[in-house]
């Protein structure tokens, strides 16, 4: 699904007008997700991403939740958005609900890459555990992992 263009006063975060609006199915995660940041194959830091429904990735220090200092990264580069996913098992007709992370490239100049593939801008893509995210031509890699219950 395509994000709504940001225009409402509620689309201001840390005094910055956001490039996206949270979708109607945005939810705070029910699992304890983390993002591990690697540079040159070495773990740099661990970020806990379960306390809010969205995490802004970018170069603007004042507004980014996940700061990317590389010059090829945009000020508001991408967002990790938690969304409610409802699915129905076709065999049993049983409905299941899960709050899962998605990544959205915010029409960045140099792109967001998921497992080496450039993402289409302004399209949500579901993140899976151990996927690898990169922004622009930065060598930093971001890997989401769900903490054990």
């Amino acid at each position: 699904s395509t994000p709504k263009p940001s225009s409402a006063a509620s689309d201001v975060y840390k005094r910055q007008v956001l490039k996206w609006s949270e979708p109607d199915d945005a939810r705070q995660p029910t699992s304890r997700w983390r993002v591990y940041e690697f540079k040159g194959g070495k773990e740099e830091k661990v970020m806990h991403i379960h306390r809010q429904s969205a995490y802004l990735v970018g170069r603007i220090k004042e507004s980014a939740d996940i700061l990317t200092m590389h010059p090829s990264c945009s000020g508001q580069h991408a967002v990790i958005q938690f969304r409610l996913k409802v699915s129905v098992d076709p065999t049993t007709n049983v409905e299941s609900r899960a709050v899962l992370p998605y990544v959205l490239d915010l029409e960045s100049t140099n792109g967001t890459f998921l497992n080496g593939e450039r993402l289409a801008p302004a399209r949500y893509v579901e993140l899976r555990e151990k996927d690898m995210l990169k922004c622009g031509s930065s060598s930093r890699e971001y890997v989401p992992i769900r903490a054990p219950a």
Side-chain angles (χ1 to χ4, degrees), residues 79-118:
V79 67
I80 296 174
Q81 175 74 64
F82 286 92
R83 303 177 73 187
L84 177 65
K85 182 179 182 179
V86 179
S87 49
V88 178
D89 184 310
T91 321
T92 62
N93 217 23
V94 173
E95 182 180 278
S96 64
R97 295 170 166 260
V99 177
L100 300 172
Y102 289 76
V103 63
L104 173 73
D105 177 82
L106 296 173
E107 300 179 335
S108 63
T109 305
N110 295 304
T112 302
F113 297 83
L114 179 62
N115 302 323
E117 298 286 324
R118 187 174 180 149

Side-chain angles (χ1 to χ4, degrees), residues 1-4 20-29 53-54 81-86 97-102 124:
S1 64
T2 305
K4 297 173 267 190
W20 99 104
S21 296
E22 288 200 277
D24 294 338
D25 60 1
R27 300 289 187 278
Q28 189 165 332
S53 57
Q81 175 74 64
F82 286 92
R83 303 177 73 187
L84 177 65
K85 182 179 182 179
V86 179
R97 295 170 166 260
V99 177
L100 300 172
Y102 289 76
Y124 284 107

